[in-house]
Structure formats: C-alpha cells, structure tokens
Amino acid sequence: MSGEDKDKTEFEFIKEQVIQKKRKKSRKWIITFCMTTIMAVIFGLVAAATFCVAEPRFYRYLRKDEEVKKPITFPTNYPEDEDGVEVTGTPAVDEGTATQGANSEGNTEVDAIDVSNPLSGQADPEVKQQSEDKIIMSRIEANIDDYISMSDDIRTVAYSANKSILKVSSIIKGTDLFGDSSNTRVSTGLVVGNDGVNLLILVSLDRVVNASAMKVEITEGLSVDAKLQDYETELNLAIITVSLEDIPPLSLSNNIKLANLGESYTITIGSPIIAVGNPNGYPGSIELGIVNSRGSNASITDNKLDLFNTSITDNANSDGVIYNLKGEVIGIITRTFKEGLNKNLNTIVGISKIKSIIEDMANHQARIYCGVFAQDMTEEARKDHEVLNGIYVNEVLPNSPAFKAGIKGGDIIIHVEDKTIMNTNSFYRIISDYEVGDEIKLMIKRTTGTTNKEMEIMVTLMEKEQ
C-alpha cells in the first residue's frame, strides 16, 4: 500500500470513528435530558403534594390569632317603652300558650281576644259564657304518671345543660399550713363559644386568678390545658380557652355543647329554674328551685346589673349557671354582689345585662369606659331637676375620662352626642359603640352648689383597666 493510500485509509478510519463518537454523545445527552425531566416532574409532584398537606397547617399556625378566628356574638333584645324605661318582669309569650286553642285541623280558637261590642263597650254575654264553659270542660286531673313525665322532661333539660358545663382545675403555687407547695381549686365553667381555633369557657375569676396552670376535664380521664384569655374584675368573670386541636373530634361533637344564652328581662318571681355546675358547692351538682325575689340591682362602672335571688341554698363554694326550663341560660351565680339579707341563698346576675361584656371578653376586645357610677332617675326626680331624661351621677372614678373632663357627682347626663340617655344601660350601650381615644360630647345638667344649668363637656374615652 502506497503512502498516499495509507494516509487516506487512516483519514477515513479517523473520520468514521469521530462520527460514532458524536452519535454516542447525542444519545447520552438525550438520556440525561429525559432523566432530568422525569426527576423534575417527580420532584414537582412531591413538592405540590407536600405543599397541599402542609400549607393549611402552617397557615393556621401563623395566623391562628387573625383571620382564622370567628367572632363570637350574643345578640340581645333591649325591651324599652316609648319613654326609654326598660320593661322588666313581663312574662314571655309561650308558643304553646299562644296556640293552645288549636284543633286537630290546625284551626286556632282564640280565647284571650277582646270580643267586646264596639258600640256598647261591653263583652257579649253569650260569647263570654261559651268561653267560660270551654275552660270548665278542658280541666284535666293530673296523676303520678304526669308528675313522673314532668320530672323526666326536667331531667332531660338538665342533662342537655350539663353538656355546656366543664370541670376546671386551677393549680395555685404557694405554701399552705401543712407545708404543701401547691393546691388545686376545682370549679366549673360554661362553654360559651367556638371561634374555630379555641373553645371559650366562662368561669369565675377568683377560681382561676394567680393559677400557674389550668386543666379542663373534657371527659372522664381526659383533661387538657387551658389559658386565661380575658377577665372582668368587677363582675368576677373570666374567659379561659382550650385549643380545639387538643380535643378529640368525637368528644367535641358528642360531649360538648355551646350554651344558649337567653334573656333575663322576663324573669318573674316564682319562675322555675335549674342550677347546674356547682350550685351547692359540689362540682357536677344540679339543683331545682324558683326565683323568689327580683328588682334589686348593682352599679358597676358606667352600667347597672339586674340581681335575682333564688330558693337554692348557697355556700362559700357555690358557683354555676341558672337555666330556665327551655334550656336557656338566664343568669350566673355570683358571690361578688351578694346581699347580706340573702347570704344563705343563691344570688344571680341576669344574663341580659352582661352579654355584651362576655362577648367582648370572648373576642378579647377592649372595654370602653367613661368612669361614672350612676343611677336611673325616677319620674319624681326628673321633675324635681326639671329634666325629661338622664342618669344621675353618684360618683366619678379618679383619673377616669369623666374625671379628667370635669364631670362631678350630682351631674345629670342627658345626651351623648345626639343620642338621648334614658337609663344607665342605654348610656353603657352608646359609649360601647365608640373606640378607645374617641372624643365624645356629653350634655349634662349640673345641679350641685349654686349651679343649675346645662353645659357641654368633651370626654375622651379610654380602655377600662382591670
């Protein structure tokens, strides 16, 4: 083989080898690209699945005190007549009574309607006689079976009410007479709300104050940690919270029920009641009784509370909740506002006047205050002071907004801005609609000393300190 042919052969050999090498590189690059793509897809799927699982948990954790929480509300009706005087002691209309004359076909026979003759103004004797005859014919003799049935119905109401009551144990550090380093206070709490993050429980403040730890018994053998959220010193009430994550779903749905806060405006003397919680000093106890007096009240800052006494025996360890026979909370047993004449009987605070305060504590909102202790004015007092409306200021708290603005004992608060003040409760509701730092105009009438004139005073509202 000549030198030229040899060089050509070597060249062609080398060229052929280079082409094969390029093919191998291309195939390797394609395989690498495909594997990278597949791994990227797998990584993306795993990342997406991880994000879907973890994101809601992180969101709840990082924003558990913000958007996740649902506001707690307790709507209240304020019965006031045209003069703004609250109506109390008016029995509520029972639906069963309203339809008592209904027959089997759904037609209603109205017995209580006014059937007087519009011309003579007298009732028709024949209609009156028919009505009397009907009442006589509808008489039913009760027997022991009826009593047992009524007892069963009451027990059912009490059983349902007890689902809103939880046992609370507070551990208090310190050394007692026996040298123990800590002791435990046992009380009960009322489940008033669920904000989507925590269960909210209303308790007596003196049972949990200064506690180093708190436990709430969900079921027998299962207790979870609780934290103090907010409190109201004047009412001796507090809200503690239990994380929903600590409560098994079955226990939450089967054993715990939110309390139904009713109204106390229509409580009448003789009304049957059920006391649950710790009414006689023993946690988990139940007592039956009646309301045996009403009409007394207690003044607190900028507001007034309704007090009732019951036939249920009281002692130093008593606390709990009062229900009516419809299963509605109508009062909270109190020791703070007990009167000496009724020291052996349960005294309760009507629920209607404290609903808004419980709502503020449940939502951890600031309580607005002006800083006066006032009383409602009778018609005679209004005439004496020549005013049509207003509340009489008995005392002004030192360093309060009212004190700084120059309000004095003996002043009569007539208006807040353009709103007429008829009683202490309306005054509290009106100022509670403002925010901390708002400046409001109070129209007052000064009656002390030689001054007897109306004047405007500007008050800057503050947050109530505990």
Side-chain angles (χ1 to χ4, degrees), residues 127-155:
V127 175
K128 183 178 181 181
Q129 183 63 41
Q130 290 177 356
S131 177
E132 291 176 352
D133 290 343
K134 179 180 178 181
I135 293 175
I136 294 174
M137 295 296 294
S138 64
R139 179 179 297 172
I140 299 175
E141 297 293 339
N143 54 36
I144 190 65
D145 291 333
D146 296 315
Y147 178 79
I148 294 174
S149 178
M150 291 172 59
S151 299
D152 290 341
D153 290 341
I154 293 174
R155 187 161 50 248

Side-chain angles (χ1 to χ4, degrees), residues 390-431:
I391 58 174
Y392 187 86
V393 177
N394 289 322
E395 180 185 352
V396 180
L397 292 177
N399 299 318
S400 67
F403 179 85
K404 294 176 181 179
I407 295 178
K408 301 178 180 180
D411 289 347
I412 299 173
I413 302 176
I414 303 173
H415 294 93
V416 173
E417 295 292 344
D418 59 346
K419 299 178 177 64
T420 301
I421 303 301
M422 300 303 303
N423 50 53
T424 312
N425 297 129
S426 66
F427 175 72
Y428 180 77
R429 293 198 303 271
I430 290 170
I431 66 171

Side-chain angles (χ1 to χ4, degrees), residues 312-366:
I312 298 171
T313 303
D314 186 60
N315 62 51
N317 294 319
S318 295
D319 65 4
V321 185
I322 304 296
Y323 281 78
N324 60 21
L325 296 190
K326 295 180 181 179
E328 301 168 337
V329 176
I330 58 173
I332 306 293
I333 296 175
T334 180
R335 294 178 302 279
T336 304
F337 302 106
K338 278 191 71 66
E339 299 172 338
L341 295 176
N342 301 293
K343 61 181 180 179
N344 295 323
L345 298 176
N346 278 151
T347 298
I348 64 174
V349 177
I351 195 68
S352 293
K353 300 289 180 66
I354 62 175
K355 267 189 188 181
S356 62
I357 300 175
I358 297 174
E359 183 177 304
D360 286 341
M361 288 194 295
N363 293 301
H364 203 30
Q365 293 182 344

